[in-house]
Amino acid sequence: MSRKPNLALVGATGAVGTVMIDIINNRENIWGEIRLIASKRSAGKKITVHGQELTVVELAPEAFDGIDIAMFDVPDEVSEIWAPIAAQRGAVAVDNSGAFRMNDQVPLVVPEVNPEQVKNRPLGIISNPNCTTMTMMAALGALHRKWTLTELVVASYQAVSGAGAVGIDQLQKETAAVAKDPMAGTLTDNVSHAIKAAGLAQADSPWSVPIALNVIPFAGSLKDGGHSSEEMKVRNESRKILGIPNLKVAASCVRVPVQVSHSLAVHATFKNPLTVAEVHAVLEKEPTVVLMDDPAKGIYPTPAHVAGQDPTFVGRVRQSLDFANSIEMFVVGDNLRKGAALNTYEIAELVAKEF
């Protein structure tokens, strides 16, 4: 790096943007100027970054003037418009939305798996994976390099924060309502009754049924064939990141009453034979993977343990009993950190090395 590049954060006051600022503050300051950008409603707010009080500026074309790398932590429809504008103004846009993930001219990057792809950006845009896919990529990428992945079956247990701040708020409100009614936990109707009694309308929830004391076997929007958008992301993004266009993938995505951290039960089949001991040895060498795998002593990753931490946590690694060259494992990651903000920032750090 011959000079310090200038960095912009679009969506600086949002849920992921707030996590991003925490990440920036806790990593080495490799930047020249850091510019915080948000909607007109948030413009003018003061946020401290690396000890300097910065004023949030309104999202506009000129906000990208002089910026080398612009990170986007905003909804798809905002990125669709503004990431190309940032690129046109000379910035490399690193986008955390789903707007460009499956665009053939936009690389989908996980630094532990395909860092070389950051240079392959004809549109000046690099995309960050969906948080569900991202949760398992560091571990799967390491295993794929060693044994060649051929088939993947995944069941996700996704935190309500994946639906945004409204998801966390809804779970908290429903949980409080249920806690006031000692009978609410006995029957689904009673849970719904307790929620209604608290003045909560299901129509205002991100979900059609209560999430408190419940699991919802659906995440995202409905796609062809009865699959959800989250399930299709797991399939399509895994193929693109790992560079296996014909990878066989089956995914079932479930929303659970957990605030932060997505969990995945992974069944992975490889071209070559492998053992649990060998898998342990590979994962223990991965700097961003933490192995927690001693179930006899109650040691395995859980969302409560993982929340607020950067690494991917892996446990319950075992040899499949009925499928050759296959292992099962339980993978957990903080969906707001590595699943979103951290991976985006790590991509930006890779690009920064070009300056």
Side-chain angles (χ1 to χ4, degrees), residues 47-355:
I47 299 175
T48 300
V49 181
H50 283 301
Q52 182 180 2
E53 187 177 69
L54 304 180
T55 301
V56 177
V57 302
E58 183 180 349
L59 180 59
E62 57 270 21
F64 298 102
D65 289 348
I67 293 298
D68 298 301
I69 302 168
M71 301 186 299
F72 284 78
D73 286 322
V74 293
D76 293 12
E77 59 272 19
V78 179
S79 285
E80 284 176 0
I81 296 171
W82 289 99
I85 291 174
Q88 289 165 8
R89 307 288 283 210
V92 176
V94 183
D95 181 38
N96 187 35
S97 83
F100 303 98
R101 287 174 185 151
M102 299 315 299
N103 187 316
D104 290 341
Q105 294 185 290
V106 176
L108 186 61
V109 174
V110 178
E112 296 95 326
V113 181
N114 59 346
E116 71 285 349
Q117 288 297 317
V118 297
K119 296 181 181 294
N120 179 27
R121 47 175 197 265
L123 301 184
I125 301 171
I126 303 169
S127 202
N128 188 63
N130 175 260
C131 53
T132 311
T133 309
M134 184 65 250
T135 299
M136 61 182 171
M137 273 302 116
L140 273 183
L143 301 183
H144 172 59
R145 286 192 296 271
K146 180 74 173 178
W147 292 288
T148 308
L149 184 67
T150 58
E151 297 179 14
L152 183 62
V153 180
V154 181
S156 71
Y157 307 90
Q158 297 178 214
V160 296
S161 53
V166 65
I168 296 176
D169 186 54
Q170 185 68 23
L171 175 60
Q172 290 176 338
K173 288 178 178 178
E174 289 186 13
T175 302
V178 169
K180 293 178 181 179
D181 187 340
M183 294 297 293
T186 60
L187 294 171
T188 300
D189 287 347
N190 289 343
V191 172
S192 297
H193 174 77
I195 291 170
K196 289 177 181 177
L200 302 178
Q202 202 65 54
D204 296 330
S205 169
W207 306 287
S208 60
V209 296
I211 185 65
L213 301 182
N214 205 11
V215 297
I216 301 174
F218 189 83
S221 57
L222 188 63
K223 298 296 182 181
D224 292 342
H227 301 285
S228 76
S229 57
E230 287 286 306
E231 290 156 356
M232 296 306 295
K233 289 173 185 176
V234 169
R235 176 178 182 263
N236 297 333
E237 293 179 18
S238 295
R239 288 176 162 188
K240 185 173 181 178
I241 295 164
L242 295 168
I244 316 173
N246 59 349
L247 179 66
K248 294 180 179 179
V249 182
S252 296
C253 293
V254 180
R255 191 72 69 183
V256 297
V258 169
Q259 288 198 58
V260 177
S261 298
H262 288 351
S263 305
L264 283 74
V266 177
H267 170 95
T269 298
F270 297 86
K271 180 180 179 180
N272 301 300
L274 71 172
T275 67
V276 170
E278 290 172 330
V279 169
H280 278 185
V282 167
L283 295 181
E284 284 173 342
K285 293 178 181 178
E286 289 299 306
T288 63
V289 173
V290 175
L291 191 65
M292 292 182 65
D293 196 13
D294 193 348
K297 295 180 180 178
I299 297 174
Y300 30 68
T302 65
H305 173 79
V306 169
Q309 301 191 64
D310 290 341
T312 297
F313 290 74
V314 180
R316 296 297 322 282
V317 180
R318 56 212 187 272
Q319 197 102 38
S320 181
L321 296 176
D322 298 313
F323 298 89
N325 302 346
S326 300
I327 56 104
E328 277 96 37
M329 59 184 180
F330 194 69
V331 186
V332 187
D334 185 319
N335 57 299
L336 299 180
R337 294 188 72 85
K338 183 59 177 176
L342 178 59
N343 199 73
T344 303
Y345 188 75
E346 289 173 335
I347 294 171
E349 286 181 322
L350 280 178
V351 178
K353 294 178 180 179
E354 300 175 15
F355 292 86

